[in-house]
Amino acid sequence: MLTIAVAGNPNCGKSALFNLLAEGRQKVGNWPGVTVDKKIGMIRHKNLDAKLVDLPGIYALDAWSEDERISRDYLLSGEPEFLLNIIDSTNIERNLYLTTILQEMGVKMLVVLNMIDLAEKNLIGINLEQFEKELGSPVVAVSALRAESKSIIINKIAELLKTENKPQPVPVPSEIENANEEVKDELLAEWRYKRIENIMAKSVKKGIPTYAESDKIDKIVMNKFLGIPLFLLVMYLLFWLTIHISGVFIDFFDIAFGAIFVDGVRHVLTSINTPEVIVSILADGVGAGIQTLSTFLPITFSLFFFIGLLESSGYMARAAFVMDKVMRTMGLPGKAFIPMLIGFGCSVPAIMATRNLENKRDRILSVFMVPFMSCGARLPVYILFTAAFFPNNAQNVIFALYMIGIVLAVATGLLLKGTVYKGSLAPFIMELPQYHTPQIKGAAINAMFRLKAFIKKSGRILIPIIAILGMLNSAGVLPAVGKSIVPVFTPIGISEENWQASVGLFSGLFAKESIIGTMNSLYSQDAEKEQKEEFSLVEKLGEAFVSIAENAKALGTKIKNPLGFESSKEDAYLFDNMRKAFNNSSAAAFAFLLFVLLYVPCLSAVAVAAREVGLVLVILQSLYSTVLGWCLAVIFYQFVEGHSAIRIVEAALILPAMVFGIVFYARKSGRFG
Amino acid sequence: MNRIISLNPGDKAVVERYAQGIDRAYKLKLLALGLTPGTEFTLIKTSPFGDPIEIELRGYRLSLRRHEAEGVLCSQ
């Protein structure tokens, strides 16, 4: 089948056009050797059957940038037989730079003047015939907002495939080819832009200033005094909508996928007399893995949907512009604010959002910092413990935990910036596009694409890990594991008898909120009598749908009480047992919470991060945060209550040794980009 | 010869050349974005925190950090 590559600058409306041509049918592929997702679509039309491959948004084809290198390698690979070069009609001059480079390569292509409606609105006069003649490549003018654009482009491609031969490469003058290295870059770029200026002068009449509308909006949005509060407001809205809208659907996915892939599979397999081992592998293992993965679908979709809206509106670039100076102190670009913020909701989509950062080192740094943000799954653990141990002071204790997380994230950023990345910050060059109406459909299609990539690539890591642990869990191995690892936690104030706490920590690997469920059942006596219900798929699915309505209703109370401090109706009996287990020590309870805040982010976050930065760095991060959590918890507990100088010295030695080891490895290995 | 660092909002300037020691990847990207020698640009505004800056050239807007753009030598 014919393969067509789609190339264009960032912000040229490429994905909207891609969606129009491929009618939303998109597959996820891989570019060799990098984590950038390859977007593949299909054109099915009576005049043309073709595979469409979306290249990353690029300005040129230099080998220095990852995206540009991928694009160049792909174009030179010979796989694409045709090229669509998309151009923003309101910004032709700069967009043509890539076109001139493509012409020098001599590829068969069609230049698509996109967003022609906006150019018309801005009274930019393009003499299409003249433009085509001066440029020397075939051109069509379209708007992704107009449905007929699809057939205009497709018919033109079909016609070109029949008639046109491969064009001759546009030759670069030999005096530039042979110029001295020191001036060649400048001479080549100047020559290309001279060519472009010449084409522009002969075929494009300047319109009214295209940024007039945007400047009016910026007067308010980027105002010296209003800019920052507005930024915070937009970010708060992004966070709130992402977390709460997905929160309405999370139980639905949990219950429905659990009913089908765990209980359903078990029911069917048992009824046909499958051996228990196989039932356990498929239901408690693989089924539970699929169930866990499914609970992240709503939050992943809603996060990328709202990010997509912000990006297509042009505000995201402004947010990065506003926050750059603040984030730079931690060695990160302004855009890195988003993953940090989303980290307060859930580390999984937050780590996925690091994808939007251009430089590998920025992504690695963010992956190291994000897990320190107290995610939504840690909050219920804080609430339960503070209710039991700090009933009069709950808010302050929880606030302190959040702040400790933020301080440690910043400290981690400063540490890596000051050692591994020593001062060398990736340079910041960013286009500020005009404001546009946010594209709801485009954002939804894009979020679906990210969701598919998440399922396909993270599922491969997450499902087997959860499967193995899930099987261990159902085989009843966990209490034994908990009892055997409890000595590790005695220095933070957990006594040998309190093995339930370490089992809780272990189950927290699945998801930190599982700590509660586990401890709840272990500390309450009714742990044993887990009733076996009669399985009914219909009933469970009904329950799943009801959960949507119930959570939507609960959203109303969340608006009134955003932090969720309700007067907890938890059993006084449970609190009593918890206090007994922790020897009535609130210092031990706080040390435990410190450790919960800091130790290995849940396995789902680990799986996603492994995909972004590789398994080795993720293991390093997990090690770093867990040792950090243990040392701080030990130092805190021993200072306040344990009063063991040896323990304090021990922890105070392990901590810098670990930090030194990681920095040493980071410098040696060269894995940190 | 001026440096971008000393321009104020509303100032116009022309790119003269790139400083010798400038990072090549950075220079190539600025060149691709149209900041070629001889190009006129206007400093539109600075971020609420004072940096980065927003410049207009060839009919569109670009933002750069002041000290990173030091290697772009220009005249007013």
Side-chain angles (χ1 to χ4, degrees):
Chain A
M1 191 192 296
L2 178 80
T3 301
I4 301 174
V6 186
N9 287 184
N11 307 308
C12 71
K14 186 158 63 77
S15 42
L17 214 53
F18 188 97
N19 292 340
L20 183 74
L21 289 173
E23 282 177 352
R25 281 190 294 256
Q26 299 179 353
K27 282 196 303 182
V28 185
N30 273 318
W31 294 109
V34 291
T35 53
V36 184
D37 290 320
K38 182 177 182 179
K39 195 159 80 180
I40 302 162
M42 290 291 166
I43 296 184
R44 299 243 177 277
H45 189 268
K46 63 181 195 302
N47 295 336
L48 185 70
D49 266 327
K51 188 169 97 172
L52 216 52
V53 175
D54 194 23
L55 297 176
I58 46 172
Y59 295 110
L61 289 174
D62 294 315
W64 299 90
S65 122
E66 190 173 74
D67 284 351
E68 296 187 2
R69 198 173 52 238
I70 295 169
S71 305
R72 190 167 74 168
D73 290 349
Y74 184 66
L75 290 175
L76 291 174
S77 73
E79 193 192 311
E81 293 141 89
F82 195 87
L83 180 68
L84 279 182
N85 174 212
I86 317 291
I87 281 178
D88 170 2
S89 300
T90 65
N91 188 3
I92 298 177
E93 189 171 328
R94 211 246 2 258
N95 277 252
L96 276 182
Y97 189 78
L98 179 63
T99 313
T100 60
I101 296 171
L102 296 169
Q103 286 183 324
E104 288 160 28
M105 292 173 77
V107 283
K108 214 171 182 179
M109 72 170 164
L110 172 63
V111 174
V112 180
L113 284 173
N114 192 20
M115 308 203 249
I116 196 71
D117 48 336
L118 292 178
E120 284 160 6
K121 204 178 123 205
N122 286 305
L123 308 176
I124 298 169
I126 306 165
N127 181 339
L128 213 55
E129 243 170 82
Q130 188 71 18
F131 183 73
E132 198 169 40
K133 200 177 123 216
E134 296 297 332
L135 182 65
S137 290
V139 180
V140 287
V142 301
S143 157
L145 301 178
R146 296 178 188 158
E148 73 267 21
S149 301
K150 184 180 172 179
S151 47
I152 293 176
I153 295 172
I154 288 175
N155 290 335
K156 187 76 182 179
I157 297 173
E159 181 198 316
L160 290 171
L161 284 169
K162 268 187 230 141
T163 55
E164 297 275 312
N165 295 318
K166 203 168 175 180
Q168 283 300 311
V170 171
V172 176
S174 59
E175 65 268 25
I176 295 177
E177 278 294 9
N178 302 325
N180 184 333
E181 271 303 314
E182 260 162 35
V183 288
K184 190 176 166 185
D185 293 338
E186 281 91 329
L187 288 177
L188 188 55
E190 262 186 286
W191 172 73
R192 285 172 183 153
Y193 268 109
K194 285 267 154 60
R195 252 196 84 198
I196 295 166
E197 283 161 17
N198 192 33
I199 296 166
M200 298 291 291
K202 288 186 179 150
S203 58
V204 180
K205 265 210 296 286
K206 273 194 183 147
I208 52 172
T210 45
Y211 277 79
E213 293 285 324
S214 295
D215 278 340
K216 277 186 209 152
I217 300 173
D218 270 345
K219 267 222 166 84
I220 301 162
V221 171
M222 306 270 268
N223 179 285
K224 216 172 175 171
F225 304 102
L226 287 175
I228 291 154
L230 274 174
F231 164 79
L232 293 174
L233 181 72
V234 171
M235 289 299 124
Y236 182 75
L237 273 177
L238 170 72
F239 177 79
W240 199 91
L241 288 170
T242 300
I243 302 304
H244 290 306
I245 290 185
S246 63
V248 172
F249 297 97
I250 194 163
D251 289 338
F252 169 78
F253 279 88
D254 195 25
I255 299 170
F257 276 73
I260 296 168
F261 290 99
V262 182
D263 302 338
V265 167
R266 168 170 290 279
H267 186 73
V268 171
L269 290 178
T270 319
S271 68
I272 54 167
N273 292 324
T274 317
E276 178 56 28
V277 187
I278 296 176
V279 175
S280 180
I281 293 174
L282 291 177
D284 304 327
V286 179
I290 294 174
Q291 184 189 9
T292 304
L293 188 76
S294 77
T295 57
F296 291 105
L297 300 183
I299 198 170
T300 305
F301 180 86
S302 56
L303 172 67
F304 286 110
F305 176 72
F306 290 117
I307 287 185
L309 283 187
L310 278 186
E311 260 176 359
S312 64
S313 75
Y315 183 74
M316 196 60 104
R318 267 79 183 179
F321 183 68
V322 171
M323 279 313 282
D324 186 71
K325 201 169 175 184
V326 177
M327 296 303 288
R328 201 190 307 163
T329 56
M330 284 170 271
L332 285 171
K335 258 194 210 167
F337 192 82
I338 307 248
M340 301 301 147
L341 177 86
I342 297 301
F344 288 111
C346 176
S347 301
V348 169
I351 290 168
M352 287 176 73
T354 62
R355 182 71 60 86
N356 290 16
L357 306 174
E358 276 126 56
N359 301 297
K360 192 176 163 197
R361 65 172 55 176
D362 298 341
R363 294 196 289 265
I364 293 174
L365 200 51
S366 305
V367 166
F368 265 76
M369 292 166 69
V370 160
F372 291 121
M373 307 302 167
S374 281
C375 66
R378 276 170 260 190
L379 183 59
V381 185
Y382 300 166
I383 290 177
L384 176 72
F385 270 78
T386 50
F389 290 92
F390 308 94
N392 304 322
N393 232 342
Q395 284 92 328
N396 294 341
V397 172
I398 292 174
F399 183 70
L401 285 164
Y402 272 78
M403 288 313 292
I404 292 169
I406 294 170
V407 168
L408 288 173
V410 172
T412 303
L414 293 176
L415 170 79
L416 289 178
K417 185 193 168 203
T419 54
V420 182
Y421 298 130
K422 251 202 175 128
S424 61
L425 189 65
F428 173 83
I429 305 176
M430 185 185 64
E431 183 184 349
L432 287 165
Q434 301 157 51
Y435 285 106
H436 294 297
T437 322
Q439 300 291 314
I440 294 173
K441 195 178 157 201
I445 292 174
N446 185 44
M448 273 315 282
F449 176 74
R450 300 298 293 258
L451 205 58
K452 276 186 203 166
F454 168 67
I455 295 170
K456 196 172 160 189
K457 294 182 175 169
S458 301
R460 214 181 294 159
I461 312 172
L462 184 59
I463 292 174
I465 299 180
I466 300 283
I468 293 166
L469 285 172
M471 272 152 50
L472 289 179
N473 192 10
S474 71
V477 188
L478 284 191
V481 174
K483 278 171 195 161
S484 66
I485 59 172
V486 86
V488 180
F489 299 113
T490 43
I492 73 170
I494 296 176
S495 64
E496 295 269 357
E497 297 79 54
N498 190 7
W499 55 270
Q500 293 94 332
S502 69
V503 178
L505 290 174
F506 194 78
S507 64
L509 292 177
F510 295 91
K512 290 206 170 169
E513 79 264 24
S514 324
I515 296 174
I516 298 186
T518 307
M519 297 180 89
N520 213 330
S521 65
L522 289 175
Y523 284 131
S524 311
Q525 279 181 334
D526 45 29
E528 306 306 319
K529 39 175 177 167
E530 207 177 280
Q531 309 130 311
K532 287 258 180 261
E533 290 170 40
E534 214 24 59
F535 173 69
S536 156
L537 186 63
V538 178
E539 217 170 87
K540 277 280 177 193
L541 291 180
E543 196 187 314
F545 279 107
V546 169
S547 78
I548 298 181
E550 278 174 356
N551 287 329
K553 238 200 283 170
L555 201 58
T557 43
K558 273 186 196 144
I559 294 171
K560 287 178 216 141
N561 186 8
L563 281 176
F565 289 118
E566 304 133 40
S567 59
S568 164
K569 269 182 260 156
E570 295 287 358
D571 223 341
Y573 176 71
L574 169 66
F575 289 175
D576 226 38
N577 281 346
M578 283 170 67
R579 282 193 288 262
K580 259 183 229 148
F582 280 83
N583 297 324
N584 264 320
S585 160
S586 43
F590 189 77
F592 181 80
L593 287 181
L594 258 182
F595 190 73
V596 169
L597 160 66
L598 298 172
Y599 85 115
V600 190
C602 68
L603 292 171
S604 309
V606 169
V608 176
R611 190 186 148 214
E612 300 298 332
V613 298
L615 198 58
V616 176
L617 290 194
V618 175
I619 292 172
L620 217 58
Q621 197 284 330
S622 301
L623 195 74
Y624 170 71
S625 62
T626 306
V627 175
L628 182 67
W630 186 85
C631 291
L632 293 181
V634 169
I635 292 172
F636 173 81
Y637 176 73
Q638 296 297 341
F639 251 113
V640 178
E641 214 168 271
H643 303 307
S644 159
I646 297 171
R647 294 286 194 203
I648 294 175
V649 172
E650 211 175 75
L653 286 177
I654 291 175
L655 187 59
M658 181 267 303
V659 169
F660 181 79
I662 284 177
V663 170
F664 183 77
Y665 174 81
R667 282 209 187 155
K668 262 263 146 89
S669 66
R671 277 180 195 272
F672 278 66
Chain B
M1 200 76 75
N2 249 312
R3 285 171 192 262
I4 285 188
I5 208 156
S6 58
L7 297 176
N8 292 313
D11 286 352
K12 283 183 194 303
V14 176
V15 179
E16 289 285 319
R17 61 181 174 83
Y18 284 87
Q20 290 265 303
I22 193 167
D23 177 51
R24 180 146 182 247
Y26 186 68
K27 181 177 78 176
L28 279 172
K29 191 157 182 197
L30 290 184
L31 286 171
L33 285 162
L35 223 50
T36 52
T39 306
E40 189 190 63
F41 65 90
T42 312
L43 197 147
I44 300 293
K45 61 174 165 287
T46 65
S47 156
F49 284 118
D51 197 37
I53 53 167
E54 176 180 347
I55 63 170
E56 181 167 293
L57 73 151
R58 299 189 188 271
Y60 81 100
R61 304 283 178 83
L62 194 61
S63 86
L64 305 168
R65 292 184 185 134
R66 278 185 195 264
H67 72 279
E68 283 172 3
E70 262 201 325
V72 186
L73 307 173
C74 44
S75 60
Q76 248 170 306

